[in-house]
Amino acid sequence: MKKQNKFLKNFLSAAGMALLLGSFSFTALAADSQNKIEEGKFAKTKTKLTQEEKAKKITADLGVQPNKKQAKKTKAKRGATTKAEEQAVPTEPVQPVEPPKPVEPPKPQSIVVSVAGDCTMGSYLEEGQIFDPEYREPGSYEAYYSANGPTYFFQNVQEIFANDDFTWINLEGPLSHYGPTEIKTFPIRCHPEEVNTLKAGSVEVCNIANNHIYDCGWDGFNDTVKILTENNLGISGEGHKYTTTKNGIKITFLGYTSFAANSELYDMIKKDIIQARTEGSNVVMVQFHGGEERIYYPPYDQQEVFRYTIDTGADVVIGAHPHVIQGIEMYKGKPICYSMGNFSFGANWNPVDKDTFIYQATFTMTADKKVSLTAQKVIPCRISSVSYRNDFCPTILTGEEGERVINRLREYSSIFPVPYNF
């Protein structure tokens, strides 16, 4: 019983103490809150906060987000830059882009071939005369060579020959110092060193099918072939065919003597042209040495041979030997020059007829690899730079003199069904 009373007494004492402490805490809390309210009122009346400071205080004390619209304005105000500032910022220069260049179609490939007449790089000699390398008869071809050198003879046509692709002449007479001259009328011998005349004159191909190439016998003939070959000159005639390629166009040069227009000659022409075409030649040019001297219209047998050569597949036919010019025929659209006449002709110091010409043909390959004759030109010349004698220096004729030679060719060509259009 005493224990119960003691417990109750203690309990009441503890409860009273707790009640007293609680009353004190509540009173203190109320007083503290009142003080804070009073301090806030005092601060409000004492200092007026800016809108930005208010936003910061709310964020810090109460965790409330500030006005977003106002924050955006503030941010914009802080981070704003002027146009001048933006333009002042250095930037990488913009490189201009070049427009693509138009692709040009490939230009058609062409070759130009110039043809001239009989050339003898030496004089007529006596029958059986032994070669004398020191002999220079005054006024002879050899004397002009000694005095002027190899560049003299073709100097007045050099521009034509140097700017074509091939120059083709008839070399009438051997280049050799071997043996005596043949027992015949008007034998011809040329000094071997005079091959330099051909080289200096931009001659690329020599036809040796003629009636004077054996004037120093077989030794002289073989010597001529050797000298031409060693000097990189092409050879046509007497068993030689010259085939080469320039600017993608393959061309073959053939040569024959045509004094006897027999079946053997016809068979040889056909065989050689077919072989050249089979081996891929785009152009075939043929030169003949024959006919009659000093007549201006070709005999019928020469016309037959030349036309047959076109029928067999040649593109151009050239004639030599008459020592005077003859007409030009367009046979089935292809040219036949029946006689080119003399050109640089050392074997006659003063022929009566000194007119001559250069025939020039242009062949062009089209995109489909077909080759055709696309241009022709006739250039009137005289075999000498002077009219009163032969100085062996072929010269282009212009003005009235040039027109005179063209008119002669026009007249000589009028006998053909389709003459060349001068």
Side-chain angles (χ1 to χ4, degrees), residues 116-159:
D118 294 345
C119 294
T120 62
M121 323 317 300
S123 303
Y124 283 135
L125 301 177
E126 296 178 5
E127 296 180 0
Q129 183 175 340
I130 302 297
F131 176 71
D132 182 356
E134 302 300 324
Y135 181 70
R136 298 288 189 271
E137 186 175 352
S140 67
Y141 184 98
E142 292 81 8
Y144 273 87
Y145 185 93
S146 293
N148 302 291
T151 61
Y152 163 79
F153 299 94
F154 291 114
Q155 61 180 322
N156 292 339
V157 293
Q158 179 67 23
E159 184 178 356

Side-chain angles (χ1 to χ4, degrees), residues 124 186 291-297 321-326 339 342 345 348 351-353:
Y124 283 135
F186 303 126
E292 297 181 31
E293 293 185 358
R294 296 177 179 84
I295 65 170
Y296 297 103
Y297 297 93
H321 179 67
H323 300 296
V324 293
I325 58 175
Q326 293 178 353
S339 177
N342 294 327
F345 197 74
N348 190 336
V352 175
D353 192 338

Side-chain angles (χ1 to χ4, degrees), residues 94-277:
V94 178
Q95 297 295 332
V97 179
E98 293 185 5
K101 294 181 180 179
V103 179
E104 295 183 2
K107 294 181 179 179
Q109 295 293 310
S110 297
I111 58 170
V112 178
V113 184
S114 302
V115 187
D118 294 345
C119 294
T120 62
M121 323 317 300
S123 303
Y124 283 135
L125 301 177
E126 296 178 5
E127 296 180 0
Q129 183 175 340
I130 302 297
F131 176 71
D132 182 356
E134 302 300 324
Y135 181 70
R136 298 288 189 271
E137 186 175 352
S140 67
Y141 184 98
E142 292 81 8
Y144 273 87
Y145 185 93
S146 293
N148 302 291
T151 61
Y152 163 79
F153 299 94
F154 291 114
Q155 61 180 322
N156 292 339
V157 293
Q158 179 67 23
E159 184 178 356
I160 302 297
F161 291 172
N163 291 316
D164 62 17
D165 295 291
F166 301 99
T167 298
W168 190 25
I169 59 99
N170 177 57
L171 179 61
E172 193 159 22
L175 291 161
S176 178
H177 62 266
Y178 284 119
T181 54
E182 293 287 290
I183 305 301
K184 62 177 294 185
T185 304
F186 303 126
I188 298 171
R189 184 199 294 272
C190 311
H191 284 244
E193 67 190 77
E194 288 160 2
V195 69
N196 295 317
T197 296
L198 301 173
K199 294 169 64 178
S202 297
V203 172
E204 284 82 22
V205 189
C206 297
N207 183 56
I208 61 172
N210 55 68
N211 59 314
H212 285 282
I213 197 63
Y214 295 102
D215 282 4
C216 293
W218 277 101
D219 288 340
F221 172 83
N222 292 331
D223 201 23
T224 302
V225 171
K226 179 175 179 290
I227 290 170
L228 293 176
T229 302
E230 289 175 346
N231 286 276
N232 298 314
L233 292 167
I235 304 172
S236 65
E238 298 304 303
H240 293 269
K241 293 173 283 187
Y242 182 63
T243 299
T244 187
T245 300
K246 183 76 176 287
N247 297 335
I249 298 175
K250 191 173 184 178
I251 183 170
T252 294
F253 298 88
L254 301 174
Y256 310 92
T257 55
S258 57
F259 296 104
N262 51 35
S263 60
E264 183 180 355
L265 175 62
Y266 279 83
D267 291 344
M268 189 184 306
I269 294 168
K270 183 176 182 180
K271 176 185 175 183
D272 290 343
I273 292 176
I274 291 175
Q275 182 179 354
R277 294 298 189 187

Side-chain angles (χ1 to χ4, degrees), residues 78-100:
R78 285 180 176 179
T81 58
T82 65
K83 279 189 176 181
E85 289 173 336
E86 289 177 352
Q87 292 173 355
V89 177
T91 57
E92 291 291 331
V94 178
Q95 297 295 332
V97 179
E98 293 185 5

